[in-house]
Amino acid sequence: MTNPAPGNGKKTILSRGSYPEYVRLSDLMRKETVGGIMLLIAAVAALIWANSPAADSYFAIRDFKIGYEPWHLDLSIGKWASDGLLAIFFFLTGLELKREFVAGDLRSPSRAIVPIAAAFGGVAVPALIYVIVNLAAGPEALRGWAIPTATDIAFAVAVLAVISSHLPSALRIFILTLAVVDDLIAIAIIAFFYTEEVHVPFLLLMFVPLALFAFLTQKYAKFFAKNHIAAWVILLPLGIITWGLMHSSGVHATVAGVLLGFMVPVLRSKKDGGPDAGPGLAEQLEHRFRPLSTGFAVPVFAFFSAGVALGGWDGFGASLTDTVALGIILGLFVGKPIGIMLTTWTLTKLSKANLDPTLKWIDVFGIAILAGVGFTVSLLVNDLSFALGSEHHDHAKVAVLTGSLVSALAATVILRARNRHYRKVEEIETADTDQDGIPDVFEGEGRS
């Protein structure tokens, strides 16, 4: 996110994006806010139920198995939520990331480098802190090294909504892009480090429906429109088959979601009318599946993953003495901001750039702390790291919730303290003196 600074020719980082990107990400923030609130409600409900006199019924439902064993699909309800429903979330993650790099502001390497580097820093440092804390704890504890590496987009955006922060568009783009990129890094980690056995025939078969999905999405405008068939009617069964074969291969099934997202074209070709011919396939699929992801898939996953029997205050305190829990909390609350700040500051110095004049480093620090809100993917990696119901598994859940809560509270303090300044920036970004529907500040910088 580097651009020439007005007037002095020097580059700036975290500068304001283009107007189309501003509008799109503002809309995305609103959708994720709703999803984040539902996620929080689901998590709190799970915690209450799991620590109530009716706790046995919660765990009985979560562990109840249903499915077809010959296809390796005899899964518990909780497993269906993590392996199945989260594939929808990762499909949208892949779609969003491709859109950013093909049609969004991040197609420019100079703008993409900062959030990408920050995401890698925000993954590497928490993992390193976790490993250092658990070096003497043995190989079993070290399996959880990737738990504190991912930022939860919906949770983080919900925090911003709750604290009523008038966050400048540059910081919104930064946190959203960073979170999407580190979700992608997390899914790569899951694929490469948490796959114990690969069944090659199933993996090879998976590429058949995936290739057909890719072919049909490329030919969408010509084929589906001509035959008046809704795209998802054909594409959804192919996606489900791809997911099933990926699951049977031994590679975590959510990886299929990202691959399917990457297959969808985000730009209309010239022969199909180009960008001005109306919403393309990517927009249509996102419009159909994002409500399903934010309103159902992720909250249901959170409900079945967040439930842990705390055992009262004594049990809660005991869980925090586990090095696994300590490594996760330190990774989220300390490692995330250190990794993000260090890479962002280093890139600034190496490129001899300035921070955008509307921002200060305390703003970047507040966002870096907010990135320590890890939930959805952290709980998923926990399920892959430790046996369900084991001490490490339960303690890691407590740590994810604790680290995320502490990060959210600390970010709230910092960002709320800057809210007066953010309101002034918001007034600049929304002022439209000529009443043409486009804020003046974006007209001065170009509309695209």
Side-chain angles (χ1 to χ4, degrees):
M1 284 188 172
T2 58
N3 274 334
N8 58 15
K10 289 195 70 173
K11 294 179 179 178
T12 61
I13 67 165
L14 303 185
S15 56
R16 186 183 300 110
S18 65
Y19 183 63
E21 193 77 346
Y22 170 82
V23 172
R24 191 178 70 79
L25 290 180
S26 295
D27 182 56
L28 180 59
M29 288 278 282
R30 285 191 292 271
K31 294 175 181 176
E32 292 294 349
T33 296
V34 175
I37 293 172
M38 294 186 67
L39 184 153
L40 291 174
I41 292 172
V44 170
L47 282 170
I48 293 173
W49 193 353
N51 290 276
S52 72
D56 288 345
S57 62
Y58 169 83
F59 294 109
I61 294 172
R62 184 196 66 183
D63 299 335
F64 180 77
K65 288 192 173 184
I66 185 172
Y68 189 56
E69 175 58 32
W71 292 354
H72 308 284
L73 293 176
D74 184 23
L75 308 176
S76 67
I77 297 296
K79 196 70 172 172
W80 275 110
S82 64
D83 289 18
L85 292 180
L86 274 195
I88 302 171
F89 167 79
F90 280 111
F91 170 75
L92 290 168
T93 298
L95 196 61
E96 178 65 27
L97 194 64
K98 183 176 180 180
R99 185 202 300 275
E100 281 292 336
F101 284 100
V102 173
D105 284 359
L106 297 188
R107 66 186 183 275
S108 166
S110 64
R111 296 189 68 86
I113 186 64
V114 174
I116 291 177
F120 274 95
V123 167
V125 176
L128 181 61
I129 288 177
Y130 180 94
V131 169
I132 292 173
V133 171
N134 285 278
L135 268 178
E140 177 64 22
L142 287 173
R143 281 186 56 82
W145 64 271
I147 295 174
T149 58
T151 299
D152 192 287
I153 303 174
F155 201 159
V157 171
V159 171
L160 292 177
V162 170
I163 65 178
S164 299
S165 175
H166 300 261
L167 207 65
S169 60
L171 292 179
R172 294 184 186 189
I173 294 171
F174 183 57
I175 185 64
L176 285 170
T177 306
L178 186 152
V180 170
V181 172
D182 79 7
D183 276 346
L184 182 65
I185 297 171
I187 203 68
I189 289 172
I190 289 170
F192 287 104
F193 295 98
Y194 287 90
T195 298
E196 297 181 354
E197 183 181 3
V198 177
H199 302 284
V200 177
F202 285 109
L203 186 62
L204 293 177
L205 280 173
M206 181 273 303
F207 286 103
V208 176
L210 180 65
L212 185 55
F213 181 95
F215 173 77
L216 289 177
T217 56
Q218 296 296 328
K219 299 296 182 181
Y220 164 75
K222 184 176 180 179
F223 175 80
F224 292 112
K226 180 180 178 181
N227 294 280
H228 305 287
I229 300 174
W232 69 272
V233 173
I234 301 296
L235 298 179
L236 181 59
L238 287 174
I240 292 173
I241 295 170
T242 303
W243 173 89
L245 290 171
M246 180 71 84
H247 186 278
S248 297
S249 75
V251 179
H252 199 270
T254 52
V255 177
V258 174
L259 293 178
L260 290 165
F262 284 163
M263 296 300 107
V264 180
V266 297
L267 290 176
R268 278 181 176 269
S269 63
K270 289 184 178 179
K271 67 177 183 179
D272 291 329
D276 298 325
L281 181 58
E283 290 94 334
Q284 293 178 35
L285 291 178
E286 181 180 4
H287 176 75
R288 184 167 294 277
F289 287 104
R290 188 169 294 281
L292 180 62
S293 175
T294 59
F296 180 74
V298 174
V300 169
F301 166 77
F303 179 76
F304 286 113
S305 292
V308 57
L310 298 175
W313 286 109
D314 290 340
F316 176 75
S319 67
L320 298 184
T321 62
D322 187 349
T323 55
V324 166
L326 184 60
I328 292 170
I329 293 172
L330 290 176
L332 289 172
F333 183 58
V334 178
K336 272 287 184 182
I338 288 178
I340 292 169
M341 288 296 292
L342 186 62
T343 50
T344 305
W345 183 85
T346 301
L347 278 175
T348 304
K349 296 303 177 184
L350 289 177
S351 62
K352 297 181 180 179
N354 292 326
L355 195 62
D356 190 85
T358 63
L359 304 175
K360 296 184 180 296
W361 281 108
I362 189 63
D363 301 317
V364 184
F365 184 57
I367 291 297
I369 291 180
L370 183 63
V373 174
F375 192 83
T376 306
V377 180
S378 294
L379 291 176
L380 173 61
V381 176
N382 179 39
D383 290 344
L384 299 174
S385 301
F386 305 118
L388 186 67
S390 66
E391 272 199 351
H392 284 332
H393 185 267
D394 287 347
H395 292 170
K397 282 187 181 182
V398 174
V400 169
L401 296 170
T402 303
S404 298
L405 179 61
V406 172
S407 296
L409 292 175
T412 297
V413 172
I414 294 173
L415 296 176
R416 284 288 292 177
R418 293 280 291 163
N419 235 358
R420 181 178 297 179
H421 172 70
Y422 296 155
R423 285 194 180 95
K424 293 179 180 178
V425 176
E426 184 182 48
E427 289 175 3
I428 295 173
E429 291 185 340
T430 56
D432 183 16
T433 55
D434 56 9
Q435 300 293 308
D436 66 348
I438 298 176
D440 302 334
V441 68
F442 291 103
E443 288 183 314
E445 298 173 3
R447 299 189 182 190
S448 61

